[in-house]
Amino acid sequence: MAISERQYNMSSGAITARDHHGEQAEHILIVDDDVVCVQTLHAVVKDLGTVAFTTRATEVLSLAKRLKPSVVLLDISMPDRDGYQLCADLKSCPETQDAAIIFITSNGDVDHELKAFEVGASDFVPKPFNIQLVRARVQVQLALRREQRRLWSTQRDLADVIKNVPGHITFWDSDLRCQLCSDQDGRWFGVPPGGFAGAPVRAVLAEELAHSVHTLLERLLHQAGRDKSPADASIALSYRATDGSKRHIHASAVLRLDAKNAWGALLLLTDVTAVSAAEAALGEERERAQVILSSIGDSVIATDALGRITYMNPVAETMTEWAMEDALGQPIESVMPLRSHGEEVTLQNPIRIALVQQRTVGMALDTLLVTRNGHRVPVEDSASPIRDAEGNIVGAVIVFHDVSETRAMAIKMTHLAQHDQLTDLPNRLLLADRISQAMRSAVAAHGSLALMILDLDHFKFVNDSHGHHIGDLILRTVADRLTATFSSDATVSRQGGDEFMILLPEIQSPEQARLLAQAAIDGVSSTIIIEGTDFHVGCSVGISVYPDDALTREDLMRHADSALYRAKSDGRNRYSFHSASIEHMLMQRSRTGKTLRAAIDNGRVEVHYQPQVEVPSLRVDTVEALVRLRDESGELIAPSEFIAYAEETGLIVALGRAVLLDACKQIKNARALGHNLHVAINVSIVQFAQPDYLESLCELCAAHGVNPECIELEITEGQLMRDADNMKHLLDRLRQHGFRVALDDFGTGYSSLAYLSQLPVDVLKIDKSFVSQLATSHQSVSIASAIIQLGKSLQMGLIAEGVETQGQVDQLLGMGCNTMQGYFYSKPMAADALLVWLEQRKQTQPSV
């Protein structure tokens, strides 16, 4: 629309417009002192951008600095300063120098045009105006400025890219001199800014690197000269940096025409040291993973998402009998077909389940792998899906192993848990199960069964004298003989030690069990030859019959054990059936135990004393303490009954203490009557095994004022030989404290002579079994004589036990044994009777 002159009465102003894209329009500045010209020009360009105007020359520069116009329509004939001067001012100012100056003039001669171009004008608009021409020229200049800005922006972006690209960019002309370098800071090779400009390759790069780059560029330029076409090339380089580190470089070069229109090369150097290190580490990791997969004992097979094999480790190749190169790409079922054990039903491979259900899957039990050559191998496995970084399933892996040995070991362990390790016979656990089964069958069939307990006679003697190795061989031989004696439906088991049990699941009568028991005794008693030595081992058998003797498994076993006890009591090497009398005997043993405990707890243990007489002088210095126990009726219980029980239950320790207490009491009583009495006390191996035995012995003597020299401790050869070295150490300590040591029942042992000279023993006691046969056995005489001579040579005291006749006294005196103990002189007597006896002897034999 037209703008009235009144609207331009201001010296300057601005009208804002936007382009048709809605963006901020270009700035156009109109400078003319003629308001009509301003109005006309405004009408022409008002829709091309933001239009500003001024009629004063003095405002032009400040207004232009503020607006930064793209186009300035400038009248040459301006008061104060003409257009040429204003144009020069605008072009010399950094903020306005890029504006396009279009002169408005009515003078169109060549001199004015040349002068205008000299000061920086871009175009002319002659007066009077051609509106279309003015508009077109403004549009051209605006378009040029827009393109110029885009070019500048592109150049800035390119410069930023080149500056920040993780590489070193250079351009080398046909003479291989650098015309462009992106490294403005000298970060890459330590070359200062501008140092690459015009420099040859060898002047700016390290020698090792320069040689490789120069060769690359020369080859590329030579190829361009030969083929007359651009080419490119790339190589990997390594060099030693100035800091001593080894750097890896990737060099890429492409031909480009240089300023002389000759072929040059644009070179990009990329530092791939970190990438090379990462690739090396990845390679090492892959190699390590390969080594691990190749080294583990399990088979590993990997597949893609379709279940086709992509990898097999060597163990998998061996198990499946497939080479990996043959298996690659094959479906998992072809290489790893699975069957169920026994039924041979085809099973789905866990790989398929893992891929479909996207979870870890274990193989079914009793699975067989069918190898390439048709072998069946029992295996266990698990399969899992393989996921990529985004969690997508890209395949699956299955890990499996041969469980043949594991299953065999499980079977073996089950067997070991139910069988004796030495003889491989069923043990107590398996026997108990078979007894229960046999009893159920007997109930159903209204039949009978028998259980035998077989125990070897005196096996401990053989084991101790010949060693456990020989003992084990004998037990194996006995096991073989028993297995051969009984039919296959019988169960022959070893319960431990030298005890065997035989279950006869079906018997027609007790007579059948009796015959088989005798056959077992005969078989075991036959001579056993071990390593050239003959052994004769007898056995005793106890028999219990179901349902006659017991109705439960526990009672059946217990009654068989009581029958065994009877067989041993009756002389061994025989069999015995369960009976009420044996049950009564066991009950009596239990009552004996109760009586013993009560006697110890209530201080009712009796101690009798038997004198040891020095025959030539009839002097009595020592008596042997012998423990006695009475039942509820006051009758004495045989020591053989309660001593063994006391040792088995550990009561022997308390019983021995009670005997020692009584002995100390009698020593003090005798001392009060003028008798220097010594007491010999039998000591069990159980007592010696107490860690504080010596200390408690010394404390007890000290508490009752008894000198340890008055106490003589008697041990047997059997006790001594169980652990001779430790016993020697203990006996040494006992003697150091003043106690005397006697070796009881000497001559009945079998290896003590080898140790006797080294043992701290004061007295040898000749066993009564030799003394009783002096008149009838030349062998007993020889043994007794040898013992006496041995004792004398070792300067030990000698005592003969069990002396009952004058003839025995005479023989022993003739051999050189002067001290004797036995019924010939006195039976064991109570403590009160002993003191009376000593007093009587003192009165009748005042010289003693």
Side-chain angles (χ1 to χ4, degrees), residues 348-454:
Q348 186 178 28
N349 196 288
I351 282 278
R352 296 296 179 186
I353 304 174
L355 289 171
V356 172
Q357 299 184 7
Q358 302 184 10
R359 64 180 180 88
T360 299
V361 182
M363 181 182 292
L365 296 176
D366 297 327
T367 298
L368 296 176
L369 165 68
V370 182
T371 69
R372 192 174 192 179
N373 295 320
H375 300 111
R376 264 61 171 170
V377 181
V379 291
E380 289 181 356
D381 76 352
S382 65
S384 299
I386 301 173
R387 300 178 184 272
D388 61 16
E390 286 74 34
N392 301 314
I393 292 182
V394 295
V397 61
I398 186 169
V399 180
F400 57 99
H401 57 275
D402 186 343
V403 295
S404 302
E405 293 185 5
T406 303
R407 291 182 182 176
M409 180 60 70
I411 294 172
K412 182 178 180 180
M413 294 303 293
T414 301
H415 180 84
L416 290 175
Q418 297 179 338
H419 289 77
D420 173 56
Q421 192 170 3
L422 177 64
T423 63
D424 202 37
L425 293 175
N427 60 14
R428 181 180 293 272
L429 180 67
L430 182 55
L431 176 68
D433 181 66
R434 291 187 179 178
I435 291 175
S436 298
Q437 293 182 32
M439 291 177 71
R440 287 193 292 268
S441 298
V443 170
H446 302 287
S448 298
L449 63 89
L451 180 68
M452 298 181 184
I453 297 182
L454 183 149

Side-chain angles (χ1 to χ4, degrees), residues 101 406 460 625 656:
I101 308 299
T406 303
K460 186 178 183 301

Side-chain angles (χ1 to χ4, degrees), residues 31 33 65 169 193 219 244-245 249 255 270 388 396 412 436 475 494 562 711 770 782 828 833:
V31 181
D33 59 347
K65 285 182 179 181
I169 301 173
R219 186 172 67 248
S245 62
I249 298 293
L255 290 176
T270 307
D388 61 16
K412 182 178 180 180
S436 298
L475 289 173
R494 179 178 176 232
S562 67
I711 302 296
F770 302 122
S782 298

Side-chain angles (χ1 to χ4, degrees), residues 324-642:
M324 185 165 70
E325 55 267 25
D326 297 334
L328 292 178
Q330 295 280 354
I332 186 66
E333 292 81 5
S334 299
V335 177
M336 192 183 173
L338 301 176
R339 303 285 187 273
S340 63
H341 183 74
E343 299 178 358
E344 287 289 319
V345 176
T346 300
L347 300 176
Q348 186 178 28
N349 196 288
I351 282 278
R352 296 296 179 186
I353 304 174
L355 289 171
V356 172
Q357 299 184 7
Q358 302 184 10
R359 64 180 180 88
T360 299
V361 182
M363 181 182 292
L365 296 176
D366 297 327
T367 298
L368 296 176
L369 165 68
V370 182
T371 69
R372 192 174 192 179
N373 295 320
H375 300 111
R376 264 61 171 170
V377 181
V379 291
E380 289 181 356
D381 76 352
S382 65
S384 299
I386 301 173
R387 300 178 184 272
D388 61 16
E390 286 74 34
N392 301 314
I393 292 182
V394 295
V397 61
I398 186 169
V399 180
F400 57 99
H401 57 275
D402 186 343
V403 295
S404 302
E405 293 185 5
T406 303
R407 291 182 182 176
M409 180 60 70
I411 294 172
K412 182 178 180 180
M413 294 303 293
T414 301
H415 180 84
L416 290 175
Q418 297 179 338
H419 289 77
D420 173 56
Q421 192 170 3
L422 177 64
T423 63
D424 202 37
L425 293 175
N427 60 14
R428 181 180 293 272
L429 180 67
L430 182 55
L431 176 68
D433 181 66
R434 291 187 179 178
I435 291 175
S436 298
Q437 293 182 32
M439 291 177 71
R440 287 193 292 268
S441 298
V443 170
H446 302 287
S448 298
L449 63 89
L451 180 68
M452 298 181 184
I453 297 182
L454 183 149
D455 188 83
L456 302 183
D457 296 334
H458 304 298
F459 179 73
K460 186 178 183 301
F461 173 82
V462 177
N463 214 26
D464 290 347
S465 58
H466 295 277
H468 292 287
H469 170 66
I470 297 298
D472 289 347
L473 293 177
I474 291 175
L475 289 173
R476 289 176 182 170
T477 302
V478 169
D480 292 340
R481 291 182 177 182
L482 291 176
T483 302
T485 299
F486 296 94
S487 61
S488 59
D489 62 342
T491 297
V492 179
S493 70
R494 179 178 176 232
Q495 303 301 294
D498 59 346
E499 183 178 280
F500 296 82
M501 279 192 180
I502 301 97
L503 170 65
L504 305 176
E506 291 184 20
I507 58 170
Q508 302 304 317
S509 66
E511 177 65 13
Q512 182 184 354
R514 184 190 70 79
L515 293 175
L516 288 171
Q518 187 60 55
I521 293 172
D522 294 341
V524 171
S525 299
S526 298
T527 301
I528 298 174
I529 303 175
I530 303 292
E531 297 181 356
T533 302
D534 293 353
F535 293 91
H536 299 276
V537 180
C539 65
S540 302
V541 179
I543 309 169
S544 178
V545 178
Y546 173 87
D548 299 343
D549 298 329
L551 296 176
T552 67
R553 184 182 67 193
E554 291 75 15
D555 286 346
L556 191 69
M557 299 175 74
R558 182 165 55 84
H559 291 170
D561 193 47
S562 67
L564 174 65
Y565 186 84
R566 178 182 179 184
K568 287 180 174 292
S569 300
D570 289 348
R572 301 176 185 269
N573 200 36
R574 64 191 65 211
Y575 62 83
S576 176
F577 282 85
H578 169 69
S579 68
S581 62
I582 297 300
E583 193 77 13
H584 173 74
M585 184 183 302
L586 294 176
M587 295 298 294
Q588 180 62 38
R589 185 170 183 268
S590 177
R591 285 194 294 271
T592 297
K594 292 180 181 178
T595 301
L596 177 61
R597 290 178 187 274
I600 293 173
D601 294 340
N602 300 323
R604 291 190 285 104
V605 174
E606 289 187 35
V607 181
H608 288 190
Y609 297 89
Q610 187 175 33
Q612 296 175 354
V613 182
E614 203 282 319
V615 176
S617 65
L618 295 180
R619 187 176 73 250
V620 176
D621 292 330
T622 305
V623 294
E624 181 179 1
L626 301 169
V627 65
R628 296 292 183 260
L629 181 68
R630 296 185 184 275
D631 60 17
E632 296 176 355
S633 63
E635 296 294 325
L636 288 175
I637 300 174
S640 59
E641 293 185 21
F642 68 85

